[in-house]
Amino acid sequence: VVMLGEEIYSNYRESADISFFQGVGKRYPMTSGTHSARIWNGMIQYRSMDDIERTASLGEVTFRRGDLAVRNARLGINVCTGMSVRVVARANRRVQLADGTTSNMRFHSMPDGAAIFPHDDGYVYVSNSEMKQGLGGVYGLYFDQYGNVVDYKLMLSGTTRNCGGGRTPWNTWITCEEYGRGQCWQIDPKNEIP
């Protein structure tokens, strides 16, 4: 039984394996002040024993997030077991495309906030550039469904120190300038929003 709060009002959700009750949180004394219960907006995932047994029968797990057990000496980094890494672009160099050509522009300097978006049959890596004095912006590195780089595009220019940002629920990118008069800009990686 998992109880959300102390006073039980109602059974929130349940199955044969677990029950969730909705209640009211209270303050509980701690050694360094008090702890206040918070409204929890997270998600609990669990699997039944049947699912776990079915997964175990598929063989050994090949990826463990955070283990960083494999050393890539050429790049000087560690990666998780089951992962591989490759360089797809370098700052101030043209991007090598899958068709054998190179991009029209050089890959941006000072990449910062970024996200991945689905696009056609592949995806696009959207990345800020934290260059100063109007030289920042947002760029897109486009991949096909097989992970081949097929295009590199400028999405926003004339901005300064594009640092943080975030992916919206409607699949756009919000980029934020990090300076006194900075603004936030919305970018559509698919160019579908007018």
Side-chain angles (χ1 to χ4, degrees):
V1 174
V2 175
M3 211 167 53
L4 304 178
E6 185 181 81
E7 298 172 20
I8 299 173
Y9 284 123
S10 63
N11 186 311
Y12 184 66
R13 295 277 191 274
E14 71 179 325
S15 73
D17 300 315
I18 192 168
S19 296
F20 292 90
F21 294 91
Q22 193 169 14
V24 175
K26 296 202 171 193
R27 289 181 176 263
Y28 297 96
M30 303 287 276
T31 56
S32 62
T34 62
H35 168 74
S36 297
R38 303 283 189 248
I39 295 174
W40 180 65
N41 294 322
M43 176 175 64
I44 292 177
Q45 296 181 354
Y46 74 98
R47 296 185 297 173
S48 70
M49 288 308 293
D50 291 338
D51 289 340
I52 293 169
E53 289 168 6
R54 200 170 22 252
T55 302
S57 70
L58 297 176
E60 186 180 339
V61 175
T62 59
F63 171 71
R64 294 198 188 281
R65 184 178 73 161
D67 72 358
L68 300 176
V70 178
R71 179 77 177 156
N72 183 313
R74 188 174 60 87
L75 297 177
I77 61 173
N78 291 354
V79 296
C80 298
T81 302
M83 293 186 73
S84 62
V85 62
R86 67 184 170 125
V87 176
V88 294
R90 292 185 187 271
N92 300 316
R93 294 188 186 169
R94 295 187 188 280
V95 177
Q96 183 69 47
L97 304 177
D99 66 3
T101 63
T102 57
S103 60
N104 293 329
M105 67 182 82
R106 297 174 189 276
F107 192 77
H108 58 284
S109 293
M110 298 182 69
D112 207 325
I116 305 273
F117 296 87
H119 182 69
D120 296 335
D121 288 334
Y123 54 96
V124 56
Y125 166 75
V126 174
S127 173
N128 287 342
S129 173
E130 202 170 352
M131 297 292 290
K132 57 186 178 179
Q133 299 176 340
L135 298 175
V138 178
Y139 297 81
L141 192 59
Y142 291 79
F143 294 83
D144 66 15
Q145 62 189 346
Y146 305 106
N148 300 308
V149 179
V150 294
D151 204 357
Y152 175 63
K153 296 179 183 178
L154 173 65
M155 300 176 150
L156 175 69
S157 63
T159 55
T160 298
R161 295 185 52 119
N162 294 73
C163 182
R167 182 178 171 167
T168 67
W170 48 92
N171 282 325
T172 61
W173 173 248
I174 303 292
T175 180
C176 301
E177 295 176 282
E178 186 181 53
Y179 80 107
R181 295 183 185 160
Q183 299 181 37
C184 294
W185 305 82
Q186 180 172 225
I187 308 299
D188 177 18
K190 294 184 176 185
N191 269 342
E192 293 175 350
I193 297 175

